[in-house]
Amino acid sequence: MSAKSLPQAWEQVWRAAPEAVVLIDRSGQMYSAQEVLAESSQRAASLAASGVRSGARVLMSCSPSVDLILTYIAMMRLGVTIVPANTGYTDRELEYIVDDAKPVAAVVDEPAKLRWLERHGVEMVIGPALDLPQAPVTGDLPAVDATSAAFIAYTSGTTGAPKGAVLTHANLLAGSQSLKQEWQWTASDRLVMALPLFHMHGLGICLNTLLLAGGSSVVLEKFTVDGVFDAIAEFNATMFSGVPTMYSRIAASDRVTELASLRVAMSGSAPLPISVWNRIAKRSGVHILERYGMTETVVLTSNPVDGIRKAGTVGRPIPGVELRLGEGDAVEVRGANVFSGYLDRPHATEAAFAADGWFRTGDVGSIDEDGYLSLVGRTSELIITGGYNVYPRELEDILREHPLVVDVAVVGTPDEEWGEIVTGYVVLDESASAYSSWRDTLMSHAAERLAPYKVPRIWHRVRDLPRNAMGKVVRSELTPP
Ligand code: MLC
Ligand code: AMP
């Protein structure tokens, strides 16, 4: 029987090969398919007995661990709607998501977050090991509804405030099925996972697909170059997936040659600089496979596993994805992987789709004679730093609240390691001249309200901001004084 949802497909894979290794923690402890199945059934039973049932929304914000993955699998099998959230979010950012998605429960690993969520009315707040009373496992879990929401993943889309992109079980299954095929992912593959498990890259692209392929994963709590190479060597890994900042650090390491032992190394979430791609190719012979995805769509295009990988391109549409260039070369897509809309935001959802139903990605592209897509720009002012998205508007609004700030514009300064570095151009109040530490003052103001990766690292004090006739800041004309 062909599966209608990812958890159903995973179960079929685990039942067919119960002895296969699925998860490996850093100490080398291995978890087989039957252990994953039994443990996730147990956790699903405990959750259900505690009142978390199919359709319940559960916030998930933890650093990566095998324990977290077992709880995630249990929630997916139960039909819970998962609301992933960055562990770096401040209370203010978390409050927005809690108010918007109204989760009934939360899985978090920081005691301060736990207490904060309890105070904010989330009924059940638990750790990733699910410290709940054990409940008896009674029979198989009912199949989850393929049209129900599996993730509500917050993203700002092309503009405006964060919105919850609703991805159904059918969307996630379609995304992983086409990736499995495109990357020829098999049960003999072993992935080194060093990505956060609260964004599409780690969760929806890597973890979901490796479980579907029946492969295994070494789970690292944090990315370090040595940690990744040690895990590749110790556990004979075949795959690694990272963001460009990780590859920039890998390219600078003497161990870069060790990439050659992998079957394939993938990059995504932000543009991989051609210089980094070339340096890795020259030093290790490895051609990094770059692909392009989005929270709303899982993966859209990929360079090939067999065939020519072109640096600076994101390859061709993967199976099941249709792609076209619309007006102004805007990238538009269609496919079973594309999300169903933003939570409770009919206007934003309507604006995100063209009249004939194609999703507007907000990226601008060009397609070469072999059909490879290059992303040449964005229709929004989005900044991507180290694979995380930063929206200038959110920061500008917060900085404007500070009495020292008369006017402000936030842009990305190109950087080989981070892709872009968040940079603030500020017009300061006259009184600031007497203030030698205005930078520190503004940085603390931002850091109290926003996740660390959003805080500008570069600051320029300017007399005024270049504006067009409409009064809009002309970002392209912003240059350091
Ligand atoms: C950490 N810092 C960042 C940052 N990550 N600053 C800007 N941008 C980032 N991305 C801050 C830290 O808080 C710290 O601040 C300082 O930088 C140095 O930290 P570090 O130890 O050098 O950084 P590290 O912890 O190694 O983190 C770098 C990283 C991480 C690349 C490993 O950013 C990361 O895991 N990125 C992956 C993001 C991701 O998963 N994106 C997927 C989105 S899904 P201080 O002040 O303490 O010094 C998507 C769809 C798709 O886009 O297609 O994939
Ligand atoms: P997110 O909203 O976090 O899912 O980020 C999605 C955005 O990341 C896309 O719309 C692109 O702008 C960008 N992106 C993802 N992969 C790539 C890539 N390989 N090259 C360039 N940009 C990318």
Side-chain angles (χ1 to χ4, degrees), residues 194-196 198-202 205 222-224 243 245-246 249 268-270 291-295 298-299 384-390 417-418 420 422 443 452-455 457:
L195 282 157
F198 43 68
H199 280 316
M200 193 45 86
H201 194 161
I205 296 171
K222 186 181 159 38
F223 171 86
T224 62
V243 298
T245 300
M246 297 176 179
R249 294 180 186 177
S269 304
R291 58 80 191 157
Y292 157 49
M294 283 186 85
T295 300
V298 196
V299 167
I384 307 186
T385 168
Y388 288 139
N389 293 0
V390 178
E417 182 183 359
W418 293 97
E420 293 175 277
V422 180
M443 277 176 88
Y453 65 90
K454 297 183 187 172
V455 177
R457 307 260 193 98

Side-chain angles (χ1 to χ4, degrees), residues 39 42 45-46 49 132-136:
E39 183 61 27
Q42 177 60 66
S46 300
L132 291 172
Q134 282 231 341

Side-chain angles (χ1 to χ4, degrees), residues 80-103:
V80 157
T81 302
I82 294 163
V83 185
N86 195 311
T87 49
Y89 285 157
T90 58
D91 294 350
R92 185 188 151 277
E93 292 165 294
L94 214 49
E95 185 168 13
Y96 180 91
I97 293 179
V98 168
D99 286 350
D100 198 67
K102 302 181 183 61

